[in-house]
mmCIF file of all heavy atoms in Angstrom:
data_model
loop_
_atom_site.group_PDB
_atom_site.id
_atom_site.type_symbol
_atom_site.label_atom_id
_atom_site.label_comp_id
_atom_site.label_asym_id
_atom_site.label_seq_id
_atom_site.Cartn_x
_atom_site.Cartn_y
_atom_site.Cartn_z
ATOM 1 N N GLN C 1 7.310 -65.712 148.588
ATOM 2 C CA GLN C 1 8.172 -65.982 147.461
ATOM 3 C C GLN C 1 7.878 -64.894 146.367
ATOM 4 O O GLN C 1 6.768 -64.661 145.980
ATOM 5 C CB GLN C 1 7.976 -67.291 146.952
ATOM 6 C CG GLN C 1 8.609 -67.644 145.625
ATOM 7 C CD GLN C 1 10.029 -68.094 145.723
ATOM 8 O OE1 GLN C 1 10.635 -68.024 146.815
ATOM 9 N NE2 GLN C 1 10.828 -68.223 144.666
ATOM 10 N N HIS C 2 9.003 -64.145 145.936
ATOM 11 C CA HIS C 2 8.850 -63.168 144.833
ATOM 12 C C HIS C 2 9.346 -63.718 143.596
ATOM 13 O O HIS C 2 10.492 -64.254 143.559
ATOM 14 C CB HIS C 2 9.436 -61.989 145.155
ATOM 15 C CG HIS C 2 8.772 -60.982 146.109
ATOM 16 N ND1 HIS C 2 8.718 -59.606 146.000
ATOM 17 C CD2 HIS C 2 7.803 -61.255 146.992
ATOM 18 C CE1 HIS C 2 7.934 -59.122 146.901
ATOM 19 N NE2 HIS C 2 7.369 -60.138 147.556
ATOM 20 N N ILE C 3 8.705 -63.738 142.519
ATOM 21 C CA ILE C 3 9.134 -64.099 141.101
ATOM 22 C C ILE C 3 8.957 -62.932 140.150
ATOM 23 O O ILE C 3 7.856 -62.436 139.926
ATOM 24 C CB ILE C 3 8.361 -65.279 140.633
ATOM 25 C CG1 ILE C 3 8.413 -66.365 141.541
ATOM 26 C CG2 ILE C 3 8.998 -65.649 139.217
ATOM 27 C CD1 ILE C 3 7.505 -67.615 141.192
ATOM 28 N N TYR C 4 10.079 -62.278 139.716
ATOM 29 C CA TYR C 4 10.015 -61.175 138.831
ATOM 30 C C TYR C 4 10.376 -61.606 137.510
ATOM 31 O O TYR C 4 11.469 -62.272 137.191
ATOM 32 C CB TYR C 4 11.112 -60.062 139.185
ATOM 33 C CG TYR C 4 10.801 -59.519 140.630
ATOM 34 C CD1 TYR C 4 11.646 -59.880 141.639
ATOM 35 C CD2 TYR C 4 9.868 -58.535 140.871
ATOM 36 C CE1 TYR C 4 11.557 -59.411 143.015
ATOM 37 C CE2 TYR C 4 9.717 -57.999 142.170
ATOM 38 C CZ TYR C 4 10.557 -58.448 143.278
ATOM 39 O OH TYR C 4 10.471 -57.967 144.474
ATOM 40 N N MET C 5 9.558 -61.300 136.607
ATOM 41 C CA MET C 5 9.906 -61.704 135.055
ATOM 42 C C MET C 5 9.808 -60.399 134.156
ATOM 43 O O MET C 5 8.670 -59.734 134.260
ATOM 44 C CB MET C 5 9.021 -62.982 134.580
ATOM 45 C CG MET C 5 9.320 -64.106 135.246
ATOM 46 S SD MET C 5 8.144 -65.578 134.716
ATOM 47 C CE MET C 5 6.768 -65.033 135.657
ATOM 48 N N ASN C 6 10.817 -60.102 133.395
ATOM 49 C CA ASN C 6 10.712 -58.990 132.404
ATOM 50 C C ASN C 6 11.096 -59.387 131.022
ATOM 51 O O ASN C 6 12.193 -59.849 130.709
ATOM 52 C CB ASN C 6 11.558 -57.793 132.973
ATOM 53 C CG ASN C 6 11.361 -56.567 132.211
ATOM 54 O OD1 ASN C 6 10.587 -56.529 131.293
ATOM 55 N ND2 ASN C 6 11.961 -55.433 132.786
ATOM 56 N N ASP C 7 10.071 -59.463 130.078
ATOM 57 C CA ASP C 7 10.329 -59.944 128.833
ATOM 58 C C ASP C 7 10.224 -58.627 127.849
ATOM 59 O O ASP C 7 9.274 -57.995 127.792
ATOM 60 C CB ASP C 7 9.282 -60.878 128.302
ATOM 61 C CG ASP C 7 9.342 -62.130 129.238
ATOM 62 O OD1 ASP C 7 10.453 -62.809 129.211
ATOM 63 O OD2 ASP C 7 8.365 -62.334 129.865
ATOM 64 N N ARG C 8 11.391 -58.331 127.203
ATOM 65 C CA ARG C 8 11.448 -57.130 126.357
ATOM 66 C C ARG C 8 11.669 -57.435 124.891
ATOM 67 O O ARG C 8 12.546 -58.183 124.615
ATOM 68 C CB ARG C 8 12.576 -56.181 126.837
ATOM 69 C CG ARG C 8 12.585 -55.829 128.308
ATOM 70 C CD ARG C 8 13.839 -55.156 128.717
ATOM 71 N NE ARG C 8 13.857 -54.970 130.203
ATOM 72 C CZ ARG C 8 14.767 -54.564 130.959
ATOM 73 N NH1 ARG C 8 15.971 -54.362 130.346
ATOM 74 N NH2 ARG C 8 14.742 -54.345 132.314
ATOM 75 N N TYR C 9 10.757 -57.004 124.054
ATOM 76 C CA TYR C 9 10.775 -57.216 122.706
ATOM 77 C C TYR C 9 10.984 -55.900 121.951
ATOM 78 O O TYR C 9 10.040 -55.143 121.746
ATOM 79 C CB TYR C 9 9.485 -57.852 122.291
ATOM 80 C CG TYR C 9 9.114 -59.171 122.936
ATOM 81 C CD1 TYR C 9 8.386 -59.131 124.158
ATOM 82 C CD2 TYR C 9 9.634 -60.386 122.525
ATOM 83 C CE1 TYR C 9 8.055 -60.229 124.847
ATOM 84 C CE2 TYR C 9 9.169 -61.538 123.231
ATOM 85 C CZ TYR C 9 8.506 -61.420 124.360
ATOM 86 O OH TYR C 9 8.263 -62.561 125.039
ATOM 87 N N LEU C 10 12.179 -55.526 121.886
ATOM 88 C CA LEU C 10 12.592 -54.239 121.171
ATOM 89 C C LEU C 10 12.846 -54.412 119.701
ATOM 90 O O LEU C 10 13.532 -55.351 119.211
ATOM 91 C CB LEU C 10 13.858 -53.691 121.832
ATOM 92 C CG LEU C 10 13.685 -53.575 123.368
ATOM 93 C CD1 LEU C 10 14.931 -52.977 123.962
ATOM 94 C CD2 LEU C 10 12.573 -52.625 123.699
ATOM 95 N N ASN C 11 12.290 -53.551 118.764
ATOM 96 C CA ASN C 11 12.424 -53.631 117.395
ATOM 97 C C ASN C 11 13.886 -53.427 117.014
ATOM 98 O O ASN C 11 14.583 -52.512 117.381
ATOM 99 C CB ASN C 11 11.626 -52.460 116.808
ATOM 100 C CG ASN C 11 10.074 -52.585 116.962
ATOM 101 O OD1 ASN C 11 9.696 -53.617 117.613
ATOM 102 N ND2 ASN C 11 9.376 -51.638 116.628
ATOM 103 N N GLY C 12 14.387 -54.491 116.296
ATOM 104 C CA GLY C 12 15.751 -54.442 115.797
ATOM 105 C C GLY C 12 16.752 -54.740 116.836
ATOM 106 O O GLY C 12 17.968 -54.663 116.569
ATOM 107 N N GLN C 13 16.374 -55.271 118.050
ATOM 108 C CA GLN C 13 17.188 -55.591 119.063
ATOM 109 C C GLN C 13 17.040 -57.027 119.502
ATOM 110 O O GLN C 13 15.820 -57.590 119.294
ATOM 111 C CB GLN C 13 17.054 -54.716 120.269
ATOM 112 C CG GLN C 13 17.336 -53.191 119.967
ATOM 113 C CD GLN C 13 18.783 -52.847 119.773
ATOM 114 O OE1 GLN C 13 19.598 -53.505 120.170
ATOM 115 N NE2 GLN C 13 19.008 -51.819 118.952
ATOM 116 N N PRO C 14 17.982 -57.744 120.011
ATOM 117 C CA PRO C 14 17.750 -59.077 120.480
ATOM 118 C C PRO C 14 16.639 -59.115 121.678
ATOM 119 O O PRO C 14 16.687 -58.138 122.437
ATOM 120 C CB PRO C 14 19.152 -59.525 121.078
ATOM 121 C CG PRO C 14 20.180 -58.586 120.305
ATOM 122 C CD PRO C 14 19.441 -57.399 120.188
ATOM 123 N N GLN C 15 15.781 -60.069 121.747
ATOM 124 C CA GLN C 15 14.925 -60.239 122.805
ATOM 125 C C GLN C 15 15.734 -60.459 124.158
ATOM 126 O O GLN C 15 16.749 -61.100 124.115
ATOM 127 C CB GLN C 15 14.043 -61.357 122.557
ATOM 128 C CG GLN C 15 13.007 -61.225 121.406
ATOM 129 C CD GLN C 15 12.098 -62.290 121.201
ATOM 130 O OE1 GLN C 15 12.035 -63.175 122.009
ATOM 131 N NE2 GLN C 15 11.428 -62.386 120.093
ATOM 132 N N LEU C 16 15.139 -59.797 125.241
ATOM 133 C CA LEU C 16 15.742 -59.847 126.519
ATOM 134 C C LEU C 16 14.735 -60.560 127.457
ATOM 135 O O LEU C 16 13.577 -59.948 127.639
ATOM 136 C CB LEU C 16 16.157 -58.480 126.913
ATOM 137 C CG LEU C 16 16.906 -58.384 128.304
ATOM 138 C CD1 LEU C 16 18.196 -59.255 128.198
ATOM 139 C CD2 LEU C 16 17.297 -57.020 128.647
ATOM 140 N N HIS C 17 15.123 -61.577 128.165
ATOM 141 C CA HIS C 17 14.250 -62.218 129.183
ATOM 142 C C HIS C 17 14.884 -62.301 130.521
ATOM 143 O O HIS C 17 15.970 -63.018 130.544
ATOM 144 C CB HIS C 17 13.858 -63.717 128.626
ATOM 145 C CG HIS C 17 13.177 -63.647 127.291
ATOM 146 N ND1 HIS C 17 11.908 -63.388 127.072
ATOM 147 C CD2 HIS C 17 13.794 -63.873 126.042
ATOM 148 C CE1 HIS C 17 11.565 -63.412 125.760
ATOM 149 N NE2 HIS C 17 12.673 -63.802 125.167
ATOM 150 N N LEU C 18 14.443 -61.601 131.412
ATOM 151 C CA LEU C 18 15.045 -61.473 132.711
ATOM 152 C C LEU C 18 14.145 -62.123 133.844
ATOM 153 O O LEU C 18 12.909 -62.033 133.736
ATOM 154 C CB LEU C 18 15.311 -59.969 133.157
ATOM 155 C CG LEU C 18 16.084 -59.084 132.187
ATOM 156 C CD1 LEU C 18 16.149 -57.719 132.721
ATOM 157 C CD2 LEU C 18 17.487 -59.696 132.024
ATOM 158 N N LYS C 19 14.871 -62.869 134.700
ATOM 159 C CA LYS C 19 14.041 -63.497 135.763
ATOM 160 C C LYS C 19 14.867 -63.479 137.041
ATOM 161 O O LYS C 19 16.020 -63.739 137.014
ATOM 162 C CB LYS C 19 13.646 -65.045 135.331
ATOM 163 C CG LYS C 19 12.690 -65.629 136.345
ATOM 164 C CD LYS C 19 12.393 -67.035 135.919
ATOM 165 C CE LYS C 19 11.377 -67.766 136.874
ATOM 166 N NZ LYS C 19 10.900 -68.989 136.374
ATOM 167 N N ARG C 20 14.145 -63.185 138.097
ATOM 168 C CA ARG C 20 14.848 -63.022 139.386
ATOM 169 C C ARG C 20 13.897 -63.436 140.502
ATOM 170 O O ARG C 20 12.692 -63.095 140.365
ATOM 171 C CB ARG C 20 15.362 -61.696 139.642
ATOM 172 C CG ARG C 20 15.992 -61.500 140.955
ATOM 173 C CD ARG C 20 17.402 -62.125 141.210
ATOM 174 N NE ARG C 20 18.320 -61.718 140.272
ATOM 175 C CZ ARG C 20 19.195 -60.664 140.435
ATOM 176 N NH1 ARG C 20 19.067 -59.933 141.540
ATOM 177 N NH2 ARG C 20 20.085 -60.405 139.553
ATOM 178 N N THR C 21 14.318 -64.104 141.473
ATOM 179 C CA THR C 21 13.487 -64.621 142.599
ATOM 180 C C THR C 21 14.026 -64.034 143.889
ATOM 181 O O THR C 21 15.198 -63.794 144.048
ATOM 182 C CB THR C 21 13.260 -66.084 142.622
ATOM 183 O OG1 THR C 21 14.613 -66.774 142.829
ATOM 184 C CG2 THR C 21 12.651 -66.611 141.356
ATOM 185 N N GLU C 22 13.124 -63.884 144.867
ATOM 186 C CA GLU C 22 13.562 -63.563 146.311
ATOM 187 C C GLU C 22 12.679 -64.304 147.178
ATOM 188 O O GLU C 22 11.573 -64.717 146.842
ATOM 189 C CB GLU C 22 13.199 -61.998 146.427
ATOM 190 C CG GLU C 22 14.024 -61.126 145.526
ATOM 191 C CD GLU C 22 13.840 -59.669 145.854
ATOM 192 O OE1 GLU C 22 13.191 -59.383 146.882
ATOM 193 O OE2 GLU C 22 14.131 -58.700 145.060
ATOM 194 N N GLN C 23 13.181 -64.440 148.402
ATOM 195 C CA GLN C 23 12.464 -65.046 149.516
ATOM 196 C C GLN C 23 12.418 -64.005 150.669
ATOM 197 O O GLN C 23 13.398 -63.411 150.915
ATOM 198 C CB GLN C 23 13.028 -66.297 149.974
ATOM 199 C CG GLN C 23 12.871 -67.447 148.940
ATOM 200 C CD GLN C 23 13.812 -67.457 147.919
ATOM 201 O OE1 GLN C 23 15.027 -67.183 148.101
ATOM 202 N NE2 GLN C 23 13.386 -67.727 146.608
ATOM 203 N N LYS C 24 11.261 -63.882 151.364
ATOM 204 C CA LYS C 24 11.002 -63.016 152.417
ATOM 205 C C LYS C 24 10.602 -63.794 153.637
ATOM 206 O O LYS C 24 9.663 -64.417 153.558
ATOM 207 C CB LYS C 24 10.128 -61.735 152.065
ATOM 208 C CG LYS C 24 10.673 -61.007 150.832
ATOM 209 C CD LYS C 24 9.676 -59.736 150.532
ATOM 210 C CE LYS C 24 10.089 -58.870 149.469
ATOM 211 N NZ LYS C 24 9.317 -57.822 149.240
ATOM 212 N N ILE C 25 11.203 -63.433 154.754
ATOM 213 C CA ILE C 25 10.829 -63.943 155.971
ATOM 214 C C ILE C 25 10.532 -62.788 156.927
ATOM 215 O O ILE C 25 11.482 -61.885 157.070
ATOM 216 C CB ILE C 25 11.837 -64.890 156.579
ATOM 217 C CG1 ILE C 25 11.976 -66.153 155.682
ATOM 218 C CG2 ILE C 25 11.314 -65.472 157.923
ATOM 219 C CD1 ILE C 25 13.099 -67.124 156.150
ATOM 220 N N PHE C 26 9.344 -62.743 157.578
ATOM 221 C CA PHE C 26 9.117 -61.532 158.363
ATOM 222 C C PHE C 26 8.159 -61.779 159.465
ATOM 223 O O PHE C 26 7.416 -62.820 159.505
ATOM 224 C CB PHE C 26 8.439 -60.443 157.375
ATOM 225 C CG PHE C 26 7.249 -61.029 156.535
ATOM 226 C CD1 PHE C 26 5.960 -61.053 157.078
ATOM 227 C CD2 PHE C 26 7.483 -61.527 155.358
ATOM 228 C CE1 PHE C 26 4.894 -61.584 156.438
ATOM 229 C CE2 PHE C 26 6.370 -61.975 154.655
ATOM 230 C CZ PHE C 26 5.093 -62.040 155.135
ATOM 231 N N LEU C 27 8.169 -60.890 160.402
ATOM 232 C CA LEU C 27 7.161 -60.795 161.424
ATOM 233 C C LEU C 27 6.081 -59.810 161.122
ATOM 234 O O LEU C 27 6.400 -58.822 160.545
ATOM 235 C CB LEU C 27 7.721 -60.332 162.877
ATOM 236 C CG LEU C 27 8.529 -61.377 163.577
ATOM 237 C CD1 LEU C 27 9.109 -60.804 164.826
ATOM 238 C CD2 LEU C 27 7.669 -62.591 163.933
ATOM 239 N N GLN C 28 4.854 -60.123 161.244
ATOM 240 C CA GLN C 28 3.756 -59.284 160.907
ATOM 241 C C GLN C 28 2.933 -58.852 161.931
ATOM 242 O O GLN C 28 2.577 -59.612 162.838
ATOM 243 C CB GLN C 28 2.897 -60.083 159.832
ATOM 244 C CG GLN C 28 1.664 -59.420 159.246
ATOM 245 C CD GLN C 28 0.905 -60.152 158.284
ATOM 246 O OE1 GLN C 28 -0.137 -60.672 158.689
ATOM 247 N NE2 GLN C 28 1.345 -60.178 157.022
ATOM 248 N N LEU C 29 2.593 -57.536 162.017
ATOM 249 C CA LEU C 29 1.846 -56.860 162.908
ATOM 250 C C LEU C 29 0.536 -56.368 162.255
ATOM 251 O O LEU C 29 0.715 -55.481 161.360
ATOM 252 C CB LEU C 29 2.554 -55.805 163.695
ATOM 253 C CG LEU C 29 1.652 -54.893 164.590
ATOM 254 C CD1 LEU C 29 1.001 -55.654 165.801
ATOM 255 C CD2 LEU C 29 2.403 -53.707 165.170
ATOM 256 N N PHE C 30 -0.680 -56.930 162.621
ATOM 257 C CA PHE C 30 -1.738 -56.458 162.005
ATOM 258 C C PHE C 30 -2.553 -55.612 162.992
ATOM 259 O O PHE C 30 -2.933 -55.973 164.118
ATOM 260 C CB PHE C 30 -2.654 -57.498 161.674
ATOM 261 C CG PHE C 30 -4.089 -57.091 161.057
ATOM 262 C CD1 PHE C 30 -4.147 -56.521 159.846
ATOM 263 C CD2 PHE C 30 -5.217 -57.444 161.716
ATOM 264 C CE1 PHE C 30 -5.283 -56.234 159.250
ATOM 265 C CE2 PHE C 30 -6.493 -57.020 161.118
ATOM 266 C CZ PHE C 30 -6.595 -56.421 160.065
ATOM 267 N N HIS C 31 -2.696 -54.218 162.624
ATOM 268 C CA HIS C 31 -3.461 -53.317 163.557
ATOM 269 C C HIS C 31 -4.901 -53.134 163.051
ATOM 270 O O HIS C 31 -4.885 -52.431 161.935
ATOM 271 C CB HIS C 31 -2.779 -52.028 163.793
ATOM 272 C CG HIS C 31 -3.546 -51.041 164.550
ATOM 273 N ND1 HIS C 31 -3.737 -51.140 165.904
ATOM 274 C CD2 HIS C 31 -4.222 -49.931 164.173
ATOM 275 C CE1 HIS C 31 -4.512 -50.159 166.349
ATOM 276 N NE2 HIS C 31 -4.719 -49.376 165.328
ATOM 277 N N GLU C 32 -5.868 -53.606 163.528
ATOM 278 C CA GLU C 32 -7.256 -53.390 163.076
ATOM 279 C C GLU C 32 -7.903 -52.380 163.791
ATOM 280 O O GLU C 32 -7.686 -52.091 165.141
ATOM 281 C CB GLU C 32 -8.002 -54.698 163.310
ATOM 282 C CG GLU C 32 -9.456 -54.650 162.729
ATOM 283 C CD GLU C 32 -10.166 -56.020 162.820
ATOM 284 O OE1 GLU C 32 -9.624 -56.821 163.617
ATOM 285 O OE2 GLU C 32 -11.148 -56.238 162.054
ATOM 286 N N ASP C 33 -8.561 -51.428 163.088
ATOM 287 C CA ASP C 33 -9.211 -50.212 163.670
ATOM 288 C C ASP C 33 -10.140 -50.799 164.766
ATOM 289 O O ASP C 33 -11.029 -51.554 164.541
ATOM 290 C CB ASP C 33 -9.989 -49.515 162.486
ATOM 291 C CG ASP C 33 -10.411 -48.205 163.012
ATOM 292 O OD1 ASP C 33 -10.920 -48.059 164.166
ATOM 293 O OD2 ASP C 33 -10.470 -47.229 162.180
ATOM 294 N N PRO C 34 -10.017 -50.304 166.009
ATOM 295 C CA PRO C 34 -10.785 -50.954 167.085
ATOM 296 C C PRO C 34 -12.295 -50.596 166.917
ATOM 297 O O PRO C 34 -13.021 -51.270 167.499
ATOM 298 C CB PRO C 34 -10.139 -50.188 168.333
ATOM 299 C CG PRO C 34 -9.513 -48.934 167.854
ATOM 300 C CD PRO C 34 -9.044 -49.354 166.456
ATOM 301 N N LYS C 35 -12.715 -49.639 166.112
ATOM 302 C CA LYS C 35 -14.041 -49.305 165.982
ATOM 303 C C LYS C 35 -14.728 -50.088 164.988
ATOM 304 O O LYS C 35 -15.929 -50.110 164.840
ATOM 305 C CB LYS C 35 -14.181 -47.785 165.680
ATOM 306 C CG LYS C 35 -13.784 -46.817 166.714
ATOM 307 C CD LYS C 35 -13.712 -45.437 166.231
ATOM 308 C CE LYS C 35 -15.098 -44.939 165.616
ATOM 309 N NZ LYS C 35 -15.081 -43.630 165.215
ATOM 310 N N ARG C 36 -13.946 -50.896 164.222
ATOM 311 C CA ARG C 36 -14.489 -51.619 163.075
ATOM 312 C C ARG C 36 -14.567 -52.961 163.411
ATOM 313 O O ARG C 36 -14.095 -53.531 164.369
ATOM 314 C CB ARG C 36 -13.607 -51.280 161.779
ATOM 315 C CG ARG C 36 -13.068 -49.941 161.674
ATOM 316 C CD ARG C 36 -14.093 -48.830 161.669
ATOM 317 N NE ARG C 36 -13.440 -47.611 161.752
ATOM 318 C CZ ARG C 36 -14.037 -46.376 162.017
ATOM 319 N NH1 ARG C 36 -15.325 -46.376 162.350
ATOM 320 N NH2 ARG C 36 -13.383 -45.315 161.917
ATOM 321 N N PHE C 37 -15.079 -53.765 162.338
ATOM 322 C CA PHE C 37 -15.079 -55.212 162.539
ATOM 323 C C PHE C 37 -14.827 -55.860 161.149
ATOM 324 O O PHE C 37 -14.876 -55.230 160.071
ATOM 325 C CB PHE C 37 -16.401 -55.763 163.031
ATOM 326 C CG PHE C 37 -17.519 -55.435 162.195
ATOM 327 C CD1 PHE C 37 -17.873 -56.321 161.079
ATOM 328 C CD2 PHE C 37 -18.191 -54.215 162.302
ATOM 329 C CE1 PHE C 37 -19.016 -55.975 160.313
ATOM 330 C CE2 PHE C 37 -19.263 -53.907 161.458
ATOM 331 C CZ PHE C 37 -19.617 -54.732 160.488
ATOM 332 N N GLY C 38 -14.484 -57.133 161.092
ATOM 333 C CA GLY C 38 -14.137 -57.836 159.823
ATOM 334 C C GLY C 38 -12.818 -57.630 159.305
ATOM 335 O O GLY C 38 -12.581 -56.599 158.579
ATOM 336 N N LYS C 39 -11.888 -58.574 159.495
ATOM 337 C CA LYS C 39 -10.532 -58.525 158.977
ATOM 338 C C LYS C 39 -10.609 -58.594 157.459
ATOM 339 O O LYS C 39 -11.132 -59.591 156.910
ATOM 340 C CB LYS C 39 -9.716 -59.530 159.565
ATOM 341 C CG LYS C 39 -8.249 -59.487 159.098
ATOM 342 C CD LYS C 39 -7.445 -60.494 159.918
ATOM 343 C CE LYS C 39 -6.037 -60.417 159.513
ATOM 344 N NZ LYS C 39 -5.144 -61.572 160.192
ATOM 345 N N TYR C 40 -10.033 -57.576 156.807
ATOM 346 C CA TYR C 40 -10.113 -57.557 155.283
ATOM 347 C C TYR C 40 -8.640 -57.344 154.855
ATOM 348 O O TYR C 40 -7.943 -56.300 155.144
ATOM 349 C CB TYR C 40 -10.934 -56.415 154.697
ATOM 350 C CG TYR C 40 -10.712 -56.052 153.364
ATOM 351 C CD1 TYR C 40 -10.899 -57.138 152.402
ATOM 352 C CD2 TYR C 40 -10.279 -54.950 152.916
ATOM 353 C CE1 TYR C 40 -10.664 -56.947 151.072
ATOM 354 C CE2 TYR C 40 -9.974 -54.656 151.554
ATOM 355 C CZ TYR C 40 -10.228 -55.669 150.623
ATOM 356 O OH TYR C 40 -10.000 -55.436 149.294
#
């Protein structure tokens, strides 16, 4: 879930408050270096 918020306080201008959300669904492939250990 993505939540973007942008609050702008510009001198002499009306305040601007923007908010937008996104949802992401994905397949994930994790490739771990075969010489190493410990998933980080």
Side-chain angles (χ1 to χ4, degrees):
Q1 170 79 1
H2 278 214
I3 304 170
Y4 302 103
M5 292 178 284
N6 193 351
D7 300 298
R8 303 174 189 168
Y9 304 91
L10 304 177
N11 297 351
Q13 301 288 331
Q15 295 181 7
L16 185 60
H17 303 281
L18 305 176
K19 186 176 182 180
R20 176 68 62 86
T21 58
E22 299 182 12
Q23 290 81 43
K24 299 185 178 183
I25 300 175
F26 51 85
L27 284 176
Q28 182 178 96
L29 169 65
F30 177 70
H31 175 73
E32 186 171 15
D33 192 324
K35 293 169 57 181
R36 326 298 177 198
F37 60 88
K39 185 175 180 180
Y40 166 60

